[in-house]
Amino acid sequence: MRTAAAERIDAIWRIESARLIAGLMRIVRDVCLAEDLAHDALVAALERWPESGIPDNPGAWLMTTAKRRAIDLLRRNKLRDQKYEEFGRGAELYTVQDVENALDGGIGDDLLRLIFTTCHPSLSQEARVALTLRLLGGLTTEEIAQAYLVAESTIAQRIVRAKRTLSAGKVSFEAPEGAELAERLSSVLEVIYLMFNEGYAASSGSSWIRPLLCQEALRLGRILAEIVPGEPEVHGLVALMEIQSSRFKARVSGGGELILLMDQNRALWDQLLIRRGLAALGRARGQGRPLGPYALQAAIAACHAEARTAQETDWARIAALYEALSRVMPSPIVELNRAVAIAMAFGPAFGLQLIDALAAEPALQDYHLLPSVRGNLLVKLGRTKEARCEFERAASLARNVPERDLLLRRAADLGTDGT
């Protein structure tokens, strides 16, 4: 059984680990070594703090300890070259107060560099997500494996290979600039977006929501918004995640059953998160640039959040926003969502025409939401027999258990009769 001290240290580690590793990366320029040094400091804390008590500034204590161990390591390895000279030259300056000042001052730059390092384009998308969750999210390998429903060994291998790739490629621990910044920022936002989406609507498994993934993605988004405040898409993504997170309590019943957006009890929506999301959307709009895909999706989410009831939802505006989104981020899934909005705004027959036009899209052939949406529109048109077949097909394609159960219930509710 874990002690209260161990639980407090674990909580501190989750808060401080990213900043600690980022600060060490600036010095040692090696992600593997930086993480090892950080964990050495954690082990020291686990050994000492239960007896001596947790210091007033645990982050500074961990940083000072890790830097001292780094100096010892360099000495043991006889690295008296330029690295040791540069590192050792300032060794006497690392007092607790100096470390506190560093954490409060330039740490944002170090975090930004670490985010861009873990999301480096030389890594696969899966490796970027795993490494970002490990180093910036502070999640264990086991927690990441559970979140993505894969073997722990698979996640461990992804992380090890990712760190080796970064070390072998001598990836610079610097935030890119100019055109490269825009390109790399897009990758960073994509990783955070994927993390959040997998937590918000799990693609497979027995749980519909994985709050831990969403919380970590939102935390990373908030950090990014603080250190690159002039990028509207960063604020747009934060706005989207804040607003979507506000619905968590209303999305699943006490028995674990999925509750669709239009059926949710809006009194359960978190108004603080909604206000935070709307404020972030305002910051995105305030940059004076056209809204990008994340800000447009946030604007769509805001339409739902601002409607007091499902019936008051401004579906015509949502359809227009999806039209704008399709121009900046064209995809069959965006078109599917636009068809839903048009059906809600102008009638199911109009939406069904658009849905049927998407049936030949290769990307949607095994996408369970296409027959699910089509079934819903057929129900509204009174074509229940066809609708039941669509719900059954959607259930056969769904990999998430609660979602599949909901689709099967909808099919069953239509009975065996119908036109």
Side-chain angles (χ1 to χ4, degrees):
M1 184 174 178
R2 302 184 66 196
T3 65
E7 291 178 352
R8 288 186 63 193
I9 294 170
D10 181 62
I12 290 169
W13 173 253
R14 287 183 181 272
I15 295 170
E16 299 291 346
S17 60
R19 290 186 289 178
L20 181 61
I21 294 169
L24 292 167
M25 271 285 287
R26 175 162 45 90
I27 298 167
V28 299
R29 303 279 168 166
D30 185 291
V31 65
C32 296
L33 181 55
E35 188 180 18
D36 287 344
L37 291 168
H39 278 96
D40 284 347
L42 173 62
V43 171
L46 288 168
E47 291 173 349
R48 300 180 192 177
W49 290 359
E51 293 184 3
S52 63
I54 295 175
D56 293 336
N57 192 326
W61 190 99
L62 290 167
M63 183 68 82
T64 300
T65 301
K67 286 182 176 179
R68 286 173 179 164
R69 288 176 181 267
I71 293 173
D72 291 341
L73 176 66
L74 291 173
R75 284 173 177 161
R76 284 198 304 271
N77 293 334
K78 300 182 184 299
L79 296 179
R80 305 185 186 282
D81 54 11
Q82 183 178 0
K83 265 189 179 179
Y84 176 76
E85 181 181 348
E86 291 176 355
F87 188 75
R89 188 183 302 134
E92 298 301 321
L93 299 178
Y94 290 133
T95 65
V96 172
Q97 185 59 49
D98 291 330
V99 175
E100 286 183 22
N101 293 338
L103 287 171
D104 293 337
I107 193 64
D109 292 335
D110 288 337
L111 278 173
L112 180 61
R113 294 186 188 103
L114 185 57
I115 290 175
F116 277 101
T117 300
T118 61
C119 297
H120 195 272
S122 64
L123 304 177
S124 68
Q125 189 177 83
E126 293 83 1
R128 293 178 202 172
V129 172
L131 192 59
T132 300
L133 284 171
R134 183 76 177 89
L135 297 185
L136 282 135
L139 273 67
T140 65
T141 304
E142 180 183 7
E143 287 171 332
I144 300 170
Q146 289 175 348
Y148 280 91
L149 301 178
V150 297
E152 186 175 349
S153 59
T154 300
I155 293 296
Q157 289 170 3
R158 287 178 187 174
I159 293 172
V160 169
R161 283 197 297 265
K163 290 191 286 190
R164 285 177 180 168
T165 299
L166 294 177
S167 296
K170 300 188 185 313
V171 172
S172 175
F173 184 59
E174 299 292 342
E177 298 178 352
E180 187 183 359
L181 172 62
E183 179 183 354
R184 293 273 294 279
L185 181 61
S186 175
S187 176
V188 171
L189 294 177
E190 181 184 11
V191 166
I192 296 174
Y193 180 65
L194 286 171
M195 287 166 52
F196 184 84
N197 271 357
E198 183 59 27
Y200 185 76
S203 57
S204 59
S206 59
S207 298
W208 174 236
I209 300 172
R210 296 176 188 151
L212 186 59
L213 274 181
C214 292
Q215 290 166 8
E216 292 303 325
L218 183 51
R219 187 174 72 84
L220 293 178
R222 288 170 177 168
I223 290 172
L224 200 57
E226 289 181 3
I227 52 188
V228 282
E231 293 294 335
E233 274 294 79
V234 175
H235 296 297
L237 179 56
V238 170
L240 176 61
M241 294 190 293
E242 298 274 15
I243 296 172
Q244 299 286 67
S245 296
S246 72
R247 305 176 193 158
F248 277 161
K249 292 181 180 179
R251 296 186 72 227
V252 180
S253 71
E257 296 177 345
L258 186 157
I259 303 175
L260 297 176
L261 176 63
M262 301 301 285
D263 299 325
Q264 290 172 15
N265 179 359
R266 300 191 174 210
L268 296 177
W269 288 2
D270 190 320
Q271 294 302 312
L272 175 59
L273 288 174
I274 289 175
R275 289 195 296 272
R276 290 180 64 120
L278 295 177
L281 181 57
R283 287 190 289 274
R285 287 170 168 155
Q287 301 296 325
R289 284 183 266 173
L291 296 185
Y294 298 117
L296 285 169
Q297 290 177 79
I300 292 168
C303 287
H304 292 293
E306 293 171 329
R308 291 176 299 175
T309 65
Q311 292 70 31
E312 293 180 43
T313 305
D314 189 348
W315 285 105
R317 174 165 172 72
I318 291 175
L321 287 167
Y322 271 120
E323 175 66 28
L325 181 61
S326 70
R327 289 196 293 268
V328 299
M329 191 181 71
S331 83
I333 292 177
V334 171
E335 289 302 316
L336 178 61
N337 286 320
R338 187 172 74 90
V340 172
I342 287 175
M344 295 298 291
F346 306 110
F350 290 100
L352 186 61
Q353 290 179 1
L354 297 174
I355 295 295
D356 289 343
L358 291 171
E361 284 285 348
L364 299 179
Q365 290 304 302
D366 296 321
Y367 188 52
H368 67 287
L369 290 183
L370 179 63
S372 173
V373 169
R374 191 169 190 276
N376 190 52
L377 296 180
L378 289 169
V379 168
K380 293 181 178 181
L381 292 170
R383 296 159 60 178
T384 56
K385 185 176 181 180
E386 294 174 76
R388 185 175 63 253
C389 292
E390 292 294 329
F391 287 137
E392 289 172 347
R393 180 169 180 270
S396 71
L397 295 172
R399 294 187 298 154
N400 181 274
V401 175
E403 196 168 15
R404 182 170 64 243
D405 290 345
L406 172 66
L407 290 165
L408 289 174
R409 285 198 305 273
R410 297 195 72 186
D413 288 344
L414 295 176
T416 57
D417 298 325
T419 57

